[in-house]
Amino acid sequence: MLTYSFVRRNLSVSVSLLLVLAMFCGAGFAQNNTHVILSQIYAAGGNSGAVLNADYVELFNPTGNTLTLNNYSIQYASATGSTISTVTILPATITLAPGQYYLIAASAGSNGAALPVTPDVADTNIAFGATAGKVALVSSTTKLASACNLSDPTVVDYVGYGTTASCSLGSPAPAPSTTKADVRTNVCTITNNSGMEFAAQDPAPHNSGSTPFVCGAPTPLAATGQATPSTVFSGNSTLLTVAVTLGTQPVSSGIAVAADLSAIGGSATQTLFDDGTNGDAVAGDNVFSYSAPVMSTGSFSLPVTVMDQQMRSAHASIALTVAVPPPTVSIQEIQSAKPSPYATKAVTTSGIVVGVKSNGFYLEAKDASTNPTTPQGVLVYTGSTAKPSYIAIGSEVEVTGVVSTYPTTSLTPGTEIDGPQTFTLIGTSRPLPAPVKITAAMDSPTGGIFQFTRFEGMRVAIDSFTTTSGTDASLNETTETNTSNGRFYGVVTGVPRPFREPGVAVTDTGFGPLPPSVPLWDSNPELLQLDSIAFGGPAINLTSNTTLTGMVGVMDFSFGGPEILLDAATRPTVTGGMMVEPVPAATGDEFTIASFNMERFYNDQNDQDNPGSSAVKVTTEAYQRRLAKASLAIRTVLNSPDIIGTQEIENLAVLTDLANKINSDTVAAGGSDPQYVPYLFLANDGTAINTGFLVKSTRVTTVNVEQSGLTTTFTNSQGKQAILNDRTPLVLHAGIKRGSAADYPVTVISVHQRSLIDIDDPTSTGATVRLKREAQAEYLAKLIQSYQAAGEHVVTVGDYNSFEFSDGFVDTIGVTKGNPVPADQVVTPPVAGLANPPLVDLVTLLPADQRQSYVEDGSAQVLDHVVVTQDLVPTNTRLVYAHIDSDWPLVNLNDATNPTRISDHDPAVAYFRIPAVQGTVKLATSSALTATANGYQAMITVTNNGTGTAEDVKLAAAVLGNASGSPLPAMLGDIQPGASKTVTIDFPASAGAPGSATVERLTGTYQGGSFGGSLRATLPVNQ
Amino acid sequence: MMKKMCVSFSMLVMVVLLGFTSRASADPIVGIIGSSVSFPVELDNTGNPDLYLNGSNFTIDSPLVLNDMLFANFPPVIPANAILDGVLFTVDLPAGMTPGLYNGVYSILGGFTPDAMDDLVDFEFQIDAQPAASPIPEPGTWLLLGTGLGLLGMTVYGRRRQASFGSAA
């Protein structure tokens, strides 16, 4: 921890003569501070959702002296970074008077308002982490040797903020956000504990022209007033409160507060109280209160006068709006159109409470129809305001509030009654309106996105519902634990599972008008979201294809789409669900190549090979859990593919740990060591997610691995050159071993393309995203073509972040394959023919209902592809997705013994036939007999001692003595030269007595011949 | 058609076998489609101790069918310094098959212990499948062929002490 004495040593400011004079004169300044401090940090400027468009850092002079800052800098390091990533050099000389502020801002982004005051220095290179980071005020422009060297004499002040900050004075300051800055709550008291000194508050920057706040000077008596609610209907009351700040030197006493309420029909000298009466909440806290009835209407500024016994006075005002009482209307009238004809207006309405959640409740009309044309219910949104205790299921309640539409950006928003609200209980334990039964016929895939809007706010029931996603959750990434939020998607049972289709989603309105030939996708209007916990029931954690029967709830649109909030009391019956299904074992004549996006696979180290990245240092328990799950999945579900193209791996250390884990787990489980070898190169992604390979060296010879396009750039939407490949294509040149014959050569590329995030953004941000996706596709196509033209067998695997068809904005997969859609059908003009002959996306060989590696908002879709050159597509090439992630509840991430939900992507396994080697075939048989409870068991091995591949080897018959073995025939596939296949055959006890001599006769066939063997044997005795 | 081969087993057995297989592969055996070819051999254990014949393996091109006679025609053990005669296997040439050259290999497994499964000898052979010169008499085909082969076998047997390897008849 940095101590006060340390801070004093670090001063390099010039202290003016005034300081000397002040010290000698014994002025009343509390001079316990001697240096400029960091007083505010706003770190999410310009981000999506930001209230201000630029990051800023505010300096403050807490001393009683004028301080001169010569050649200072602001230095930044990421939350977990060990080195300084950004040095922002300040003007050569900055002079700050006592109590004066100084504001340094970054370049403005595209979101949020301009800073409310003009920065003293603007357009700097400041780029703070939005919720965590480390900021130092340094009395030098030289980069600090370390991001956490607090003993460096040039460090004047230092703030680590956010929970993941690896270095701070005391504890880190709280995490700021898009709406909150880290603000020193008392700029005059420096304790060197950021966690205590800072609070996340509304950003309120000051510049050098702002009113100084001189620490230690006498402070006057002051007061602020407010009305709660500040808008009230005439005839009602509002609580007037005045918070008094006592004057100092001397301290105020005998406070008296009075307000002039004549404008609202009250006394001109109305006393406010601090004694717990008249609405005062806490006696003696210097907050004076009065519950005032209001009669007049209009907007008022009520004068307040505060006096103390020291004859000082202060003045304040209380803003109050008194409105005419709203009209009383029915819920049906409120909901008669969208937006409501009463939108933005205050209304009074009433109904039966049919659902209560933490931030509101649902009112349904007493006379609600079960076949409405417009909604008969409405959400009363209370936010964080406490609800009266009588707001409970079955209560009949009258509500007064303001009608609003939310979310306004949605095509299907909800209508709700917002505050200020008043409530009146009419009665309790009323019968609930009968629910509307939603049938399969009503849940139409062609019904359009408005098909459920007429049920908004109403009770609904579904006899049987089939899920199309796992239950969602919120993630603590440091511990890699998920907490269920109880929400999932599905359709009425009988409605086919919805899949993503080509084109731009009709609900995706961000981009604006599209070219007329660009196809539109209907957004799967049959999907319904369910929330199992909003009304207080336990979370239902389930997989896709789970059935819920007897479902009752309330239809909500406050998230912009149809969602049913399940009744807390009437819970559905949950049956079915998915089981883990291992992919088929590869036959001996096949090799397998898998793709696995492992979703931000970080370790428990502050690795030094990715400085400045936002890689998360997870706990050791979390890391070991993820390794165990990944090993389990790769071994028992993917059947240990020969090559695995990986994505989103932090670095080679993680992939090495994973390889070692798989190898050791395989041996521990009784298998032979696959000897996986990891390959990974760091690339450009700031979150340290990289492409890699795991190569099973017992089956594959690695020729070399090379990174492609590390420094390649493209022209962004602003005409500037920018890095193209955040995650670089990784190329593996390998040979599939074929016994004693030459390896079969393959070229495998692990791919992770730019995501779809912001693809519809209408600004330059979105334009750059689209250009980048197109440029990446073109780059990859050319890379593949270079190998294809050289006659190589090319397999690309990975997270293409693309569907198997055009998304309407960019046809990335089409451009990669060489055959994109026509230019008028996509926003970004595609380039065709870069791969020639065109490549084959193996997912297109699957039936439509098997095309899934991801689930987005309940819709199954493919993001992970295996794209190959045509020579690799004989009839027996196939692709299988292991559905262990996208369909499973996110809480399964927490279970080390469960191979599901390692990631959000399902891994894919592609199977390829190993071409036969031409030459002679010479098959030899051998057998090892053991006794069993029912007879005998033979481990029969067929070895190819020839020079050519024995194809389609089949052991047709096995006879021990006169007893036939089973199961037969046994298909052994191809046997490469020098290789063997083993099969277990059981014989009945009638083969002979234990210990007796007999003969085992084996016969079989292969493509072009037959083979056999006769072996003398002594029947074993069961031990 | 019949061929008779003499194989000597001793501590130098592999040297003997290599010479055998080399000559066999260079000299196709003519077989008549619709008939069989027998492979009689003389197994000579020239040394000590006893030699165990514990198994066999074969691989042969389709559509030829190899009938393994090792255990039917030979005892489990060849005593030291003993010589045994017999048909090791036969190969059927199914009617209707395509004339041409077909390959096969036959291996005897065994050794000097009761459970040894060493590869003692590989018989690599090539059969030149030819159509019959004239229609084969329906009723007496196998009888005539067997008679002929038997006479031929007796002739070769009589010369077994002199021949280390018999050529196709």
Side-chain angles (χ1 to χ4, degrees):
Chain A
M1 179 181 292
L2 195 64
T3 64
Y4 168 64
S5 58
F6 154 72
V7 175
R8 286 202 303 178
R9 287 200 307 272
N10 293 337
L11 284 179
S12 62
V13 296
S14 300
V15 180
S16 73
L17 181 60
L18 182 61
L19 167 63
V20 179
L21 292 173
M23 293 173 65
F24 278 94
C25 293
F29 291 11
Q31 286 299 327
N32 61 343
N33 306 315
T34 54
H35 60 93
V36 173
I37 58 172
L38 299 165
S39 52
Q40 270 194 48
I41 297 170
Y42 180 62
N47 292 3
S48 176
V51 292
L52 297 176
N53 66 4
D55 291 359
Y56 69 77
V57 57
E58 178 191 280
L59 307 184
F60 176 70
N61 180 359
T63 75
N65 315 300
T66 297
L67 302 178
T68 302
L69 283 57
N70 292 319
N71 299 314
Y72 271 47
S73 64
I74 299 294
Q75 302 199 14
Y76 172 76
S78 66
T80 58
S82 58
T83 59
I84 296 295
S85 60
T86 307
V87 176
T88 303
I89 297 174
L90 303 182
T93 302
I94 299 172
T95 301
L96 293 180
Q100 190 176 15
Y101 298 90
Y102 194 83
L103 187 62
I104 304 142
S107 299
S110 55
N111 298 301
L115 301 192
V117 295
T118 303
D120 294 292
V121 182
D123 297 327
T124 70
N125 60 344
I126 284 176
F128 297 154
T131 58
K134 300 189 285 282
V135 180
L137 174 62
V138 180
S139 62
S140 166
T141 58
T142 302
K143 180 190 283 190
L144 295 171
S146 159
C148 190
N149 185 2
L150 300 183
S151 62
D152 189 307
T154 64
V155 176
V156 177
D157 197 10
Y158 190 98
V159 177
Y161 62 91
T163 55
T164 58
S166 60
C167 187
S168 60
L169 290 176
S171 58
S177 65
T178 54
T179 60
K180 302 293 181 185
D182 263 334
V183 179
R184 278 189 189 270
T185 55
N186 184 343
V187 292
C188 296
T189 301
I190 312 301
T191 64
N192 288 328
N193 186 338
S194 299
M196 300 296 292
E197 294 172 327
F198 285 85
Q201 297 182 352
D202 294 344
H206 305 82
N207 63 11
S208 59
S210 299
T211 302
F213 184 84
V214 181
C215 296
T219 56
L221 180 67
T224 57
Q226 66 176 17
T228 306
S230 59
T231 298
V232 65
F233 300 117
S234 63
N236 292 328
S237 294
T238 186
L239 180 65
L240 307 179
T241 55
V242 174
V244 176
T245 302
L246 303 182
T248 62
Q249 301 181 31
V251 175
S252 297
S253 60
I255 302 294
V257 179
D260 180 355
L261 305 184
S262 57
I264 58 172
S267 168
T269 56
Q270 176 62 54
T271 298
L272 275 70
F273 302 89
D274 189 19
D275 59 0
T277 67
N278 291 277
D280 184 55
V282 178
D285 65 349
N286 291 324
V287 177
F288 293 73
S289 309
Y290 177 68
S291 181
V294 291
M295 303 307 295
S296 307
T297 60
S299 295
F300 305 98
S301 178
L302 305 175
V304 175
T305 301
V306 181
M307 298 287 292
D308 65 11
Q309 283 186 343
Q310 289 70 37
M311 301 307 293
R312 287 174 294 199
S313 64
H315 299 278
S317 61
I318 299 174
L320 177 65
T321 299
V322 184
V324 174
T328 298
V329 295
S330 68
I331 292 173
Q332 291 93 329
E333 289 174 299
I334 294 170
Q335 291 280 32
S336 61
K338 187 78 71 178
S340 169
Y342 295 93
T344 74
K345 298 174 183 174
V347 299
T348 296
T349 192
S350 62
I352 307 296
V353 176
V354 293
V356 182
K357 59 183 183 179
S358 63
N359 59 1
F361 60 93
Y362 295 84
L363 278 185
E364 186 168 351
K366 288 176 67 176
D367 57 350
S369 166
T370 55
N371 186 24
T373 55
T374 57
Q376 316 271 297
V378 69
L379 167 65
V380 181
Y381 180 77
T382 56
S384 58
T385 304
K387 297 180 286 290
S389 58
Y390 54 76
I391 301 298
I393 301 291
S395 293
E396 184 176 359
V397 175
E398 181 182 86
V399 177
T400 298
V402 178
V403 176
S404 68
T405 305
Y406 186 85
T408 55
T409 54
S410 171
L411 293 177
T412 55
T415 295
E416 59 192 41
I417 299 175
D418 292 348
Q421 296 150 331
T422 59
F423 308 100
T424 303
L425 178 65
I426 300 173
T428 60
S429 302
R430 301 285 200 257
L432 301 183
V436 176
K437 182 163 289 187
I438 298 176
T439 64
M442 295 163 67
D443 188 16
S444 171
T446 59
I449 61 173
F450 300 106
Q451 63 181 331
F452 296 118
T453 57
R454 63 190 177 120
F455 305 129
E456 181 188 344
M458 301 176 65
R459 299 189 76 222
V460 295
I462 297 176
D463 286 344
S464 182
F465 184 83
T466 302
T467 59
T468 62
S469 77
T471 305
D472 201 0
S474 58
L475 173 68
N476 178 329
E477 193 164 18
T478 301
T479 60
E480 291 199 337
T481 51
N482 271 315
T483 302
S484 175
N485 64 17
R487 303 174 74 187
F488 46 86
Y489 289 86
V491 294
V492 177
T493 301
V495 175
R497 180 171 192 173
F499 283 73
R500 184 58 161 89
E501 294 153 29
V504 176
V506 294
T507 51
D508 192 350
T509 58
F511 183 76
L514 293 162
S517 297
V518 172
L520 289 177
W521 168 53
D522 65 5
S523 297
N524 288 335
E526 67 271 39
L527 279 169
L528 286 163
Q529 191 170 14
L530 261 69
D531 187 328
S532 57
I533 65 172
F535 285 166
I540 300 174
N541 295 319
L542 45 67
T543 70
S544 297
N545 205 30
T546 298
T547 301
L548 290 80
T549 53
M551 213 171 72
V552 181
V554 173
M555 180 74 79
D556 173 72
F557 281 84
S558 62
F559 284 90
E563 181 173 27
I564 298 173
L565 313 185
L566 293 181
D567 275 4
T570 306
R571 304 300 283 179
T573 301
V574 180
T575 57
M578 295 175 61
M579 304 291 287
V580 173
E581 292 186 24
V583 302
T587 61
D589 53 348
E590 289 178 318
F591 64 97
T592 53
I593 301 178
S595 175
F596 202 168
N597 179 332
M598 297 193 185
E599 195 186 9
R600 296 170 66 85
F601 201 152
Y602 298 126
N603 66 9
D604 55 353
Q605 305 293 319
N606 282 321
D607 293 304
Q608 300 303 307
D609 56 0
N610 49 17
S613 82
S614 61
V616 177
K617 178 185 174 183
V618 303
T619 64
T620 298
E621 180 185 4
Y623 185 49
Q624 292 303 321
R625 185 191 317 123
R626 188 89 88 94
L627 286 171
K629 288 175 71 72
S631 168
L632 191 63
I634 289 170
R635 290 181 294 111
T636 66
V637 182
L638 304 188
N639 282 321
S640 301
D642 298 320
I643 298 170
I644 306 172
T646 61
Q647 296 88 44
E648 298 203 18
I649 306 292
E650 180 183 359
N651 54 20
L652 185 59
V654 171
L655 205 55
T656 301
D657 287 344
L658 179 57
N660 292 337
K661 179 68 173 168
I662 299 168
N663 294 340
S664 61
D665 285 353
T666 303
V667 173
S672 57
D673 187 350
Q675 298 177 31
Y676 275 106
V677 177
Y679 300 95
L680 184 146
F681 291 85
L682 297 176
N684 300 306
D685 194 296
T687 62
I689 53 174
N690 296 289
T691 53
F693 281 109
L694 288 172
V695 178
K696 189 197 283 182
S697 61
T698 53
R699 288 265 295 170
V700 180
T701 303
T702 297
V703 178
N704 71 342
V705 181
E706 54 188 340
Q707 186 177 37
S708 181
L710 181 63
T711 59
T712 304
T713 60
F714 76 110
T715 304
N716 69 15
S717 63
Q718 296 173 314
K720 297 178 181 176
Q721 291 301 296
I723 286 291
L724 176 64
N725 295 304
D726 301 312
R727 290 85 59 160
T728 50
L730 193 61
V731 184
L732 166 69
H733 298 285
I736 308 300
K737 295 180 180 179
R738 292 190 288 189
S740 56
D743 290 349
Y744 175 66
V746 291
T747 300
V748 189
I749 306 176
S750 184
V751 175
H752 190 188
Q753 303 294 57
R754 185 11 172 121
S755 77
L756 287 151
I757 296 172
D758 287 336
I759 187 77
D760 60 340
D761 185 292
T763 70
S764 60
T765 299
T768 291
V769 170
R770 293 186 289 276
L771 288 172
K772 189 173 196 173
R773 285 171 58 81
E774 170 69 21
Q776 284 185 344
E778 293 174 13
Y779 177 86
L780 181 59
K782 292 173 184 174
L783 178 67
I784 298 170
Q785 179 62 22
S786 69
Y787 298 122
Q788 179 174 236
E792 299 183 30
H793 316 293
V794 184
V795 180
T796 75
V797 297
D799 178 3
Y800 272 76
N801 269 314
S802 169
F803 314 122
E804 65 272 35
F805 38 69
S806 170
D807 57 43
F809 289 110
V810 187
D811 187 8
T812 53
I813 201 76
V815 170
T816 304
K817 292 191 301 177
N819 49 6
V821 297
D824 64 343
Q825 294 180 18
V826 63
V827 172
T828 307
V831 176
L834 295 177
N836 187 18
L839 310 175
V840 179
D841 185 1
L842 293 185
V843 72
T844 61
L845 305 180
L846 292 177
D849 63 358
Q850 294 180 23
R851 299 179 183 181
Q852 176 204 338
S853 71
Y854 200 85
V855 173
E856 177 77 12
D857 294 339
S859 290
Q861 59 185 227
V862 170
L863 296 180
D864 306 85
H865 299 259
V866 178
V867 178
V868 305
T869 46
Q870 290 185 10
D871 56 290
L872 288 168
V873 193
T875 55
N876 63 343
T877 294
R878 63 188 192 276
L879 176 70
V880 177
Y881 287 104
H883 298 300
I884 56 173
D885 289 325
S886 69
D887 285 313
W888 292 77
L890 271 67
V891 292
N892 282 19
L893 174 68
N894 309 348
D895 184 355
T897 64
N898 189 323
T900 65
R901 266 298 172 185
I902 298 163
S903 165
D904 47 353
H905 292 253
D906 288 331
V909 180
Y911 300 70
F912 302 93
R913 180 81 180 264
I914 303 173
V917 180
Q918 298 305 308
T920 61
V921 172
K922 181 184 175 187
L923 295 176
T925 60
S926 61
S927 177
L929 279 172
T930 57
T932 66
N934 300 316
Y936 306 95
Q937 188 174 76
M939 295 284 288
I940 296 172
T941 299
V942 181
T943 302
N944 182 1
N945 293 321
T947 59
T949 303
E951 300 180 66
D952 300 328
V953 178
K954 178 174 72 174
L955 181 65
V959 177
L960 186 63
N962 292 318
S964 294
S966 64
L968 286 170
M971 313 307 290
L972 304 181
D974 293 356
I975 303 180
Q976 301 294 349
S980 300
K981 294 287 180 62
T982 298
V983 62
T984 300
I985 301 296
D986 291 312
F987 296 95
S990 61
S996 64
T998 188
V999 174
E1000 184 178 356
R1001 299 178 191 278
L1002 309 170
T1003 55
T1005 62
Y1006 63 96
Q1007 198 174 100
S1010 60
F1011 69 97
S1014 298
L1015 309 168
R1016 291 192 197 282
T1018 300
L1019 294 177
V1021 178
N1022 204 350
Q1023 297 299 315
Chain B
M1 292 142 285
M2 177 185 294
K3 62 188 299 179
K4 186 165 185 178
M5 299 161 281
C6 177
V7 180
S8 297
F9 296 99
S10 70
M11 295 304 289
L12 300 175
V13 63
M14 291 306 296
V15 176
V16 174
L17 294 180
L18 283 173
F20 172 83
T21 55
S22 174
R23 283 187 290 166
S25 60
D27 193 7
I29 302 164
V30 175
I32 302 302
I33 294 172
S35 68
S36 296
V37 177
S38 292
F39 286 77
V41 296
E42 177 184 277
L43 301 180
D44 186 354
N45 182 9
T46 59
N48 280 309
D50 295 348
L51 184 69
Y52 293 86
L53 303 179
N54 289 332
S56 64
N57 276 318
F58 67 86
T59 304
I60 190 165
D61 289 346
S62 292
L64 304 187
V65 177
L66 188 147
N67 305 298
D68 189 359
M69 305 293 188
L70 174 67
F71 293 151
N73 296 338
F74 292 90
V77 179
I78 306 177
N81 299 312
I83 299 173
L84 301 176
D85 291 318
V87 173
L88 189 59
F89 59 90
T90 65
V91 175
D92 298 340
L93 287 68
M97 66 175 288
T98 304
L101 294 176
Y102 294 84
N103 297 306
V105 59
Y106 183 98
S107 305
I108 298 176
L109 310 177
F112 298 119
T113 61
D115 57 354
M117 282 294 183
D118 299 327
D119 197 345
L120 298 176
V121 60
D122 286 347
F123 298 133
E124 292 186 11
F125 55 90
Q126 193 170 50
I127 294 179
D128 183 1
Q130 296 181 1
S134 58
I136 297 173
E138 285 295 331
T141 300
W142 292 107
L143 176 61
L144 289 172
L145 182 59
T147 303
L149 290 175
L151 292 172
L152 192 54
M154 291 176 62
T155 303
V156 174
Y157 181 79
R159 297 188 288 116
R160 71 179 186 272
R161 295 290 181 183
Q162 290 75 40
S164 61
F165 172 68
S167 60

